[in-house]
Amino acid sequence: MPPWSPPGTSSLSCARRSTSSKRRLTAAALAAAYLLLVAPLAAQGSDDFLDALSARPVLDRAPVVRALPPLPATLRPTFDASRQTPRSPADVWATRQWVNDMAPRLARYVADSDRRQALLARIHQEAQLAGLPPALVLSVIQVESAFRAEAVSSAGAVGLMQIMPFWIRELGLPADDLKDPVRNLRYGCTILAHYLAVEDGDLTRALARYNGSLGKTWYPERVMRALARRWTPATPGLPERLTADR
């Protein structure tokens, strides 16, 4: 993933916002940040703060700080805690079937059998939490890093899904290690789900945004070619337009 603007600055819905600072978050990016936090922080002293605001004199000019619009319903909080919830036998069986289907295909990139199984299980879990098809995530990883967790591009993108370091500031925690496959997958799936929501399920445009090449099709074509040649599951294929399962 090459260097490109922080979340939302290239979104059509945010075209009127200033792009002068990458630190200005859009509502969609704030919602995506919930996918990376273990739990939302509780506001402290909110009643006193609101009382103080109401006591301030009303100015004739427009306020300097405006409230953000409501968070979009297309993005959801993290499900770290949901891992404690027992899964149904049908879900467990489906995951195992998928992992067994994909493991021989991944052998070209990951030689160790145990590592393959663990990585595939994690990819399946993170994709499901983000509402993405796991095979699509596999295709993105193949194109981005060829499954090398230590990969760092010339532009500074890191890990399996080639995450740019500024995303730590935008979405995550200061201690996040983007070379950690678990955390890298959480970032990558969160970002891709965000752009899929921004583009109303248009997979081509969402993939182009992920790569930072909106308006061009070479990157989506590479991902979809990888999907067709190596990662298409035995079950019915992907539709051209997707809606994140939230």
Side-chain angles (χ1 to χ4, degrees), residues 34 67 76 151:
Y34 287 170
R76 62 184 177 183

Side-chain angles (χ1 to χ4, degrees), residues 8 18 36 68 82-83 107 157 175 228 243:
S18 169
L36 295 163
L68 290 171
S82 73
R83 295 174 187 160
T243 301

Side-chain angles (χ1 to χ4, degrees), residues 1-236:
M1 185 187 299
W4 43 281
S5 300
T9 54
S10 60
S11 170
L12 295 178
S13 63
C14 300
R16 296 183 180 178
R17 288 181 180 268
S18 169
T19 59
S20 62
S21 171
K22 290 194 292 186
R23 296 185 180 179
R24 182 172 299 175
L25 296 176
T26 65
L30 285 172
Y34 287 170
L35 280 169
L36 295 163
L37 298 176
V38 174
L41 298 177
Q44 300 294 327
S46 59
D47 291 340
D48 294 340
F49 177 69
L50 293 176
D51 291 341
L53 283 180
S54 63
R56 295 180 62 185
V58 178
L59 302 178
D60 292 335
R61 63 178 182 273
V64 176
V65 178
R66 291 181 295 176
L68 290 171
L71 297 178
T74 52
L75 298 173
R76 62 184 177 183
T78 182
F79 281 88
D80 281 12
S82 73
R83 295 174 187 160
Q84 308 296 328
T85 304
R87 301 171 63 196
S88 71
D91 287 341
V92 173
W93 182 85
T95 300
R96 287 177 180 173
Q97 289 293 105
W98 184 85
V99 170
N100 290 338
D101 183 17
M102 296 298 155
R105 312 181 194 201
L106 187 58
R108 173 181 176 182
Y109 298 98
V110 181
D112 183 77
S113 176
D114 290 340
R115 185 172 170 233
R116 279 201 310 273
Q117 295 280 330
L119 179 59
L120 284 168
R122 194 68 190 202
I123 289 171
H124 191 274
Q125 181 182 49
E126 293 297 329
Q128 291 289 319
L129 290 175
L132 298 172
L136 175 63
V137 177
L138 281 172
S139 304
V140 170
I141 296 173
Q142 177 186 327
V143 172
E144 290 287 351
S145 69
F147 294 90
R148 291 176 294 121
E150 301 292 319
V152 179
S153 75
S154 59
V158 179
L160 290 174
M161 298 188 76
Q162 290 290 277
I163 309 302
M164 291 297 291
F166 71 74
W167 282 101
I168 295 177
R169 181 181 66 250
E170 302 290 0
L171 299 178
L173 302 171
D176 281 345
D177 178 7
L178 293 178
K179 290 184 179 180
D180 173 20
V182 173
R183 208 57 176 164
N184 192 279
L185 288 169
R186 174 60 58 87
Y187 273 84
C189 290
T190 299
I191 295 164
L192 185 54
H194 163 63
Y195 285 123
L196 187 61
V198 166
E199 292 297 343
D200 192 28
D202 189 319
L203 182 56
T204 297
R205 290 181 62 86
L207 287 170
R209 283 192 184 278
Y210 186 89
N211 174 254
S213 56
L214 186 63
K216 301 178 182 179
T217 62
W218 64 267
Y219 178 82
E221 288 171 358
R222 286 187 63 189
V223 172
M224 298 309 291
R225 190 159 52 243
L227 176 65
R229 291 178 177 177
R230 182 168 294 271
W231 307 115
T232 299
T235 54

